[in-house]
Amino acid sequence: MTYRIAVLPGDYAGPEVTAEAVKVLRTLQEVSSLRFDLQEGLIGGAAVDATGDPLPAATLQLCQASDAVLLGAVGGPRWDGLPAAQRPEQGLLRLRRALDLYANLRPAKVYEPLVAASTLRPEVVRGIDLLVVRELVGGIYYGEPRGIERLAEGERAINTMVYTTAEIRRVAHLAFTLARQRRHKVTSVDKANVLEVSVLWRREVTEVAGAFPDVTLEHLYVDNCAMQLVRDPRQFDVILTGNLFGDILSDEAAMLTGSIGMLPSASLGGKTGLFEPVHGSAPDIAGRGVVNPLAAIASVAMLLAYGLQEVAAAQAVEAAVARVLEEGYRTPDIMAPGCTPVSTAEMGDHVCAALRQGLATA
Ligand code: IPM
Ligand code: MG
């Protein structure tokens, strides 16, 4: 069986890290029975430049016809002046909606060799292993009405935070299901002391929890959660939250681990999942061979596990990433005294070598 993978490199650092992720897929193909049909598509600024549209119809069709989508990153200063509808980010937002990717999984896990890379003390971060489950196709990102309108004096801007019962329930159900495979705890994050949307969120999540008596549910206000994440991040297992709060908290959670350059994500819901590093297009460091490709490579592991149900291959990729860190290879973002500095491409090569070795001895 050959898996069809849509590869969307995107902008700035996106193509650099995606090239390393693709190397890993090709290596897997050499050393296992897995077969991949990799088809590239345009998205984001690259697509705007080529076609005027951040999500060309051909890209959407490619994704819909694929078993999984591997994405780099979109956006950057080059396109900042464009009107809202043509911004690169719109390509990603429209793709999430079109594929109905209602759940965004962002694991934050500390690799033991990188404990010192965190800005927090080692005793606070050692052993962090949490999963943010962010609702991805609703909430204030998509709510109507929205826009900026002229007033007699000045202007007025509107966005609308909105969730339906069904939208809350489906993402909550997935979060509880995932908690069952982990440490059986869900922390639902909202602002129910102020927002009606959050009152409904809390009520529905509590309802869904009834079907998972083996999973502990707690509720936190988002401001408290932001504080608890830096105070004692190990208290968290699964954090379930809406689109905007999840955007913010997942960046915070990512940075606890020392480098946002390490963390992958999976967006699930419809038949085709999308897998991408959590870091953005990193325009400030792109193009010089210094970007960390491990988040993109770890996204390949999530693609294998969640997108294709190829769990053994996913574990082999994860083990290869852990191995290169133990061996001391470091891109600048995670560099430490005594370690070996490597470029983006060299890091990819080391992961592929570790993967070959790991699968040869398996
Ligand atoms: C993310 C990003 C996106 C988001 C942007 C690029 C639209 O920040 O994936 O977290 O806000 O969802
Ligand atoms: Mg974000």
Side-chain angles (χ1 to χ4, degrees), residues 3-318:
Y3 293 115
R4 296 195 58 171
I5 314 288
V7 179
L8 313 182
D11 307 322
Y12 287 97
E16 281 177 273
V17 297
T18 304
E20 302 314 308
V22 165
K23 259 189 209 169
V24 168
L25 283 171
R26 293 201 198 285
T27 301
L28 265 178
Q29 190 158 245
E30 274 169 41
V31 297
S32 75
S33 58
L34 296 178
R35 292 294 168 264
F36 303 108
D37 173 10
L38 305 173
Q39 303 276 349
E40 268 205 26
L42 289 167
I43 194 167
V48 170
D49 289 349
T51 72
D53 182 353
L55 181 64
T59 299
L60 180 55
Q61 279 159 18
L62 170 66
C63 294
Q64 283 165 334
S66 297
D67 298 305
V69 179
L70 180 66
L71 188 135
V74 297
R78 195 176 138 81
W79 302 281
D80 275 352
L82 290 176
Q86 284 161 40
R87 287 184 60 103
E89 291 81 358
Q90 282 302 318
L92 182 55
L93 294 172
R94 280 165 49 204
L95 183 58
R96 288 172 177 170
R97 255 306 242 232
L99 297 178
D100 199 22
L101 303 174
Y102 62 80
N104 182 215
L105 279 47
R106 297 188 169 184
K109 200 169 156 174
V110 171
Y111 292 89
E112 181 59 29
L114 296 186
V115 160
S118 176
T119 48
L120 298 188
R121 288 199 306 271
E123 63 269 30
V124 177
V125 299
R126 178 167 284 125
I128 290 177
D129 181 8
L130 64 85
L131 174 68
V132 177
V133 177
R134 165 189 175 192
E135 200 291 327
L136 200 59
V137 293
I140 196 166
Y141 269 57
Y142 296 91
E144 298 282 347
R146 65 184 299 158
I148 303 180
E149 60 191 34
R150 279 193 196 295
L151 299 179
E153 204 174 304
E155 288 170 284
R156 192 169 89 109
I158 309 175
N159 289 97
T160 304
M161 188 183 277
V162 53
Y163 272 117
T164 64
T165 302
E167 286 171 334
I168 300 166
R169 285 182 173 235
R170 62 181 185 173
V171 70
H173 195 273
L174 183 68
F176 282 97
T177 304
L178 292 167
R180 266 194 176 150
Q181 299 156 25
R182 300 173 48 96
R183 300 195 307 282
H184 293 76
K185 181 177 171 189
V186 170
T187 304
S188 175
V189 176
D190 62 39
K191 191 70 186 173
N193 48 347
V194 179
L195 304 175
E196 284 80 2
V197 169
S198 289
V199 171
L200 184 68
W201 179 278
R202 197 172 270 227
R203 192 192 299 155
E204 295 305 322
V205 170
T206 305
E207 249 331 281
V208 171
F212 297 84
D214 52 322
V215 178
T216 307
L217 169 64
E218 70 175 15
H219 301 279
L220 283 187
Y221 297 137
V222 62
D223 49 349
N224 186 17
C225 181
M227 187 264 279
Q228 295 294 337
L229 268 172
V230 288
R231 192 187 71 83
D232 175 23
R234 278 175 305 193
Q235 69 182 286
F236 295 108
D237 180 14
V238 174
I239 295 178
L240 164 64
T241 191
N243 207 342
L244 179 62
F245 299 158
D247 180 45
I248 300 164
L249 294 176
S250 62
D251 265 29
E252 189 188 2
M255 202 57 216
L256 297 173
T257 68
S259 174
I260 199 164
M262 294 295 304
L263 298 178
S265 78
S267 301
L268 309 175
K271 95 175 203 335
T272 303
L274 182 147
F275 304 84
E276 60 178 318
V278 168
H279 63 70
S281 61
D284 52 328
I285 56 169
R288 293 188 274 120
V290 298
V291 179
N292 188 344
L294 293 179
I297 292 170
S299 299
V300 167
M302 289 195 93
L303 182 154
L304 292 162
Y306 293 96
L308 308 179
Q309 275 68 50
E310 294 287 353
V311 177
Q315 284 166 349
V317 173
E318 276 167 15

